[in-house]
Amino acid sequence: MCWLRKQRGLGEVSLLGWMSAVCLLTVLVVYAGFAFLRPMNLDDICSVLDAREGWYEAVQKSHSRWGTPIPVMMAIMHQESKFVADARPGYKWFLGVIPYARQSTAFGYAQALDGVWGDYRSRTGNDQARRDNFADAVDFVGWYTRDTERLTGVPRSDAYGQYLAYHEGRSGYRRGSYNQKLWLLGVAAKVERRMVMYSEQYTRCSAI
């Protein structure tokens, strides 16, 4: 075993002990860094919006621009990414053991696919929009849900129907593809419950 001798008669301290302390400190710093990637209390919309500078302004701007209620947008984003900026779907597996591709091109706060994100950027003129930017992502959700109402008749206030159309795409929604996915109906119901909870909380947020 290697030893590190300290001067002035303070005894001997193992190098392993020092390395353990450094490793522990590193783990704590890394953990704190990952915790910073998203708000901590996801069940309180005020806490979520308080966690990052500019998030209140971003949701209010999207609401003003597209008319989608803020709790609806936030409930959808919670379901999609849990407010993690660089969230991605899991991998496909070859023979159950070898990962070889992502399940889709979804990325970011809103889990927008490459194609529909490109459509959003071109149609809104927001050419520099990034999916890992909260303001851009929540604007995307507002834009998408507004067009969903226009194209399918699902009200922007209907978190259940909007989530089904968000997940399946508007064409899939019109075909009723969700009816073959009982698990998805359960997820949409969960999004609706969170929207109701967020609606009750949002009126009490100090920043509004």
Side-chain angles (χ1 to χ4, degrees):
M1 178 180 295
C2 295
W3 294 86
L4 176 66
R5 183 178 300 276
K6 297 185 70 177
Q7 297 180 355
R8 303 190 181 185
L10 295 181
E12 295 176 337
V13 179
S14 71
L15 180 60
L16 182 60
W18 279 105
M19 292 177 64
S20 297
V22 171
C23 288
L24 177 60
L25 179 61
T26 301
V27 168
L28 292 175
V29 170
V30 170
Y31 177 80
F34 280 119
F36 183 74
L37 292 178
R38 72 175 187 184
M40 297 302 292
N41 185 4
L42 304 186
D43 291 332
D44 183 344
I45 191 172
C46 303
S47 177
V48 172
L49 294 174
D50 279 337
R52 300 290 180 273
E53 183 178 355
W55 280 23
Y56 271 108
E57 292 80 0
V59 296
Q60 290 165 352
K61 182 178 179 180
S62 180
H63 170 64
S64 297
R65 187 178 188 186
W66 307 113
T68 303
I70 289 170
V72 173
M73 295 187 290
M74 292 293 284
I76 289 174
M77 292 180 72
H78 172 275
Q79 180 60 42
E80 291 299 282
S81 70
K82 302 298 185 292
F83 304 110
V84 174
D86 60 351
R88 295 179 184 271
Y91 285 97
K92 297 177 182 179
W93 295 80
F94 178 68
L95 300 177
V97 294
I98 303 174
Y100 67 93
R102 295 282 182 180
Q103 294 173 6
S104 76
T105 61
F107 178 73
Y109 287 109
Q111 288 295 278
L113 299 171
D114 287 354
V116 71
W117 186 257
D119 191 36
Y120 160 74
R121 295 205 301 182
S122 64
R123 289 178 180 271
T124 62
N126 193 4
D127 296 336
Q128 303 303 313
R130 302 194 329 269
R131 286 175 283 183
D132 58 357
N133 178 282
F134 180 81
D136 292 335
V138 76
D139 191 68
F140 167 83
V141 175
W143 168 80
Y144 192 90
T145 50
R146 190 285 305 268
D147 275 8
T148 292
E149 180 179 49
R150 181 173 60 86
L151 296 171
T152 70
V154 178
R156 280 165 283 188
S157 58
D158 178 3
Y160 183 87
Q162 282 284 349
Y163 185 75
L164 291 177
Y166 195 90
H167 188 278
E168 297 296 278
R170 299 174 189 120
S171 296
Y173 179 84
R174 285 191 291 263
R175 292 195 308 269
S177 60
Y178 52 85
N179 288 318
Q180 309 303 317
K181 303 175 181 179
L182 294 180
W183 63 269
L184 179 57
L185 299 179
V187 172
K190 185 168 66 172
V191 172
E192 183 176 44
R193 290 193 297 271
R194 180 165 294 274
M195 181 275 293
V196 172
M197 179 179 72
Y198 278 175
S199 295
E200 294 172 349
Q201 295 168 347
Y202 187 70
T203 60
R204 301 193 295 271
C205 293
S206 60
I208 64 175

Short mmCIF file of all heavy atoms in Angstrom, two decimals, residues 1-18:
data_model
loop_
_atom_site.label_atom_id
_atom_site.label_comp_id
_atom_site.label_asym_id
_atom_site.label_seq_id
_atom_site.Cartn_x
_atom_site.Cartn_y
_atom_site.Cartn_z
N MET A 1 0.84 -1.19 0.00
CA MET A 1 0.00 0.00 0.00
C MET A 1 0.88 1.24 0.00
O MET A 1 1.88 1.31 0.68
CB MET A 1 -0.92 -0.01 1.23
CG MET A 1 -1.81 1.22 1.35
SD MET A 1 -2.86 1.17 2.81
CE MET A 1 -3.89 -0.24 2.42
N CYS A 2 0.44 2.24 -0.77
CA CYS A 2 1.19 3.50 -0.81
C CYS A 2 0.77 4.37 0.36
O CYS A 2 -0.39 4.40 0.74
CB CYS A 2 0.91 4.24 -2.12
SG CYS A 2 1.51 3.36 -3.57
N TRP A 3 1.75 5.10 0.91
CA TRP A 3 1.45 5.98 2.04
C TRP A 3 1.97 7.38 1.74
O TRP A 3 2.98 7.56 1.09
CB TRP A 3 2.13 5.46 3.31
CG TRP A 3 1.57 4.13 3.76
CD1 TRP A 3 1.96 2.91 3.33
CD2 TRP A 3 0.53 3.94 4.70
NE1 TRP A 3 1.22 1.94 3.94
CE2 TRP A 3 0.33 2.54 4.80
CE3 TRP A 3 -0.26 4.80 5.48
CZ2 TRP A 3 -0.63 1.99 5.63
CZ3 TRP A 3 -1.20 4.25 6.32
CH2 TRP A 3 -1.39 2.86 6.39
N LEU A 4 1.23 8.36 2.27
CA LEU A 4 1.64 9.75 2.12
C LEU A 4 1.98 10.26 3.50
O LEU A 4 1.14 10.30 4.39
CB LEU A 4 0.47 10.58 1.54
CG LEU A 4 0.74 12.07 1.42
CD1 LEU A 4 1.85 12.30 0.39
CD2 LEU A 4 -0.54 12.80 1.00
N ARG A 5 3.28 10.55 3.72
CA ARG A 5 3.74 10.99 5.03
C ARG A 5 3.58 12.50 5.15
O ARG A 5 4.06 13.25 4.34
CB ARG A 5 5.21 10.60 5.23
CG ARG A 5 5.73 10.97 6.62
CD ARG A 5 7.17 10.52 6.78
NE ARG A 5 7.30 9.09 6.62
CZ ARG A 5 7.09 8.23 7.60
NH1 ARG A 5 6.68 8.65 8.79
NH2 ARG A 5 7.25 6.94 7.40
N LYS A 6 2.85 12.91 6.19
CA LYS A 6 2.70 14.33 6.44
C LYS A 6 3.81 14.81 7.35
O LYS A 6 4.26 14.09 8.24
CB LYS A 6 1.33 14.61 7.09
CG LYS A 6 0.16 14.23 6.19
CD LYS A 6 -1.16 14.61 6.80
CE LYS A 6 -1.32 16.11 6.82
NZ LYS A 6 -2.63 16.54 7.33
N GLN A 7 4.26 16.01 7.17
CA GLN A 7 5.37 16.55 7.93
C GLN A 7 4.93 17.00 9.32
O GLN A 7 3.75 17.01 9.66
CB GLN A 7 5.97 17.73 7.17
CG GLN A 7 6.57 17.32 5.82
CD GLN A 7 7.16 18.50 5.09
OE1 GLN A 7 7.04 19.63 5.53
NE2 GLN A 7 7.83 18.20 3.99
N ARG A 8 5.92 17.37 10.15
CA ARG A 8 5.73 17.94 11.47
C ARG A 8 5.06 16.95 12.42
O ARG A 8 4.31 17.33 13.31
CB ARG A 8 4.93 19.23 11.41
CG ARG A 8 5.59 20.28 10.51
CD ARG A 8 4.95 21.62 10.62
NE ARG A 8 5.57 22.59 9.74
CZ ARG A 8 5.26 23.88 9.71
NH1 ARG A 8 4.31 24.36 10.50
NH2 ARG A 8 5.88 24.68 8.87
N GLY A 9 5.31 15.67 12.23
CA GLY A 9 4.87 14.69 13.19
C GLY A 9 3.37 14.49 13.27
O GLY A 9 2.87 14.01 14.28
N LEU A 10 2.65 14.82 12.23
CA LEU A 10 1.21 14.69 12.28
C LEU A 10 0.76 13.27 11.91
O LEU A 10 -0.42 12.99 11.85
CB LEU A 10 0.56 15.70 11.33
CG LEU A 10 0.77 17.15 11.71
CD1 LEU A 10 0.07 18.06 10.70
CD2 LEU A 10 0.26 17.43 13.11
N GLY A 11 1.71 12.40 11.67
CA GLY A 11 1.37 11.01 11.42
C GLY A 11 1.27 10.72 9.94
O GLY A 11 1.61 11.53 9.09
N GLU A 12 0.81 9.54 9.66
CA GLU A 12 0.74 9.07 8.29
C GLU A 12 -0.72 8.94 7.87
O GLU A 12 -1.54 8.43 8.61
CB GLU A 12 1.45 7.72 8.16
CG GLU A 12 2.94 7.81 8.43
CD GLU A 12 3.60 6.46 8.39
OE1 GLU A 12 2.88 5.46 8.61
OE2 GLU A 12 4.81 6.39 8.13
N VAL A 13 -0.99 9.40 6.70
CA VAL A 13 -2.35 9.34 6.16
C VAL A 13 -2.29 8.58 4.85
O VAL A 13 -1.46 8.87 3.99
CB VAL A 13 -2.92 10.75 5.90
CG1 VAL A 13 -4.33 10.66 5.32
CG2 VAL A 13 -2.93 11.54 7.21
N SER A 14 -3.12 7.59 4.70
CA SER A 14 -3.06 6.77 3.49
C SER A 14 -3.51 7.57 2.28
O SER A 14 -4.44 8.36 2.35
CB SER A 14 -3.93 5.52 3.64
OG SER A 14 -5.30 5.87 3.62
N LEU A 15 -2.82 7.34 1.18
CA LEU A 15 -3.20 7.96 -0.08
C LEU A 15 -4.61 7.52 -0.46
O LEU A 15 -5.40 8.29 -1.02
CB LEU A 15 -2.21 7.59 -1.17
CG LEU A 15 -2.46 8.17 -2.56
CD1 LEU A 15 -2.45 9.69 -2.52
CD2 LEU A 15 -1.39 7.66 -3.54
N LEU A 16 -4.93 6.27 -0.13
CA LEU A 16 -6.25 5.75 -0.43
C LEU A 16 -7.33 6.55 0.28
O LEU A 16 -8.40 6.83 -0.27
CB LEU A 16 -6.34 4.27 -0.04
CG LEU A 16 -7.66 3.56 -0.34
CD1 LEU A 16 -7.94 3.60 -1.85
CD2 LEU A 16 -7.62 2.13 0.17
N GLY A 17 -7.04 6.95 1.52
CA GLY A 17 -8.01 7.74 2.27
C GLY A 17 -8.27 9.09 1.63
O GLY A 17 -9.42 9.53 1.51
N TRP A 18 -7.18 9.72 1.20
CA TRP A 18 -7.32 11.01 0.53
C TRP A 18 -8.09 10.87 -0.78
O TRP A 18 -8.95 11.68 -1.11
CB TRP A 18 -5.93 11.60 0.24
CG TRP A 18 -5.31 12.28 1.43
CD1 TRP A 18 -4.31 11.80 2.21
CD2 TRP A 18 -5.68 13.54 1.98
NE1 TRP A 18 -4.01 12.67 3.23
CE2 TRP A 18 -4.85 13.76 3.11
CE3 TRP A 18 -6.62 14.51 1.66
CZ2 TRP A 18 -4.92 14.89 3.90
CZ3 TRP A 18 -6.70 15.65 2.44
CH2 TRP A 18 -5.86 15.84 3.54
#
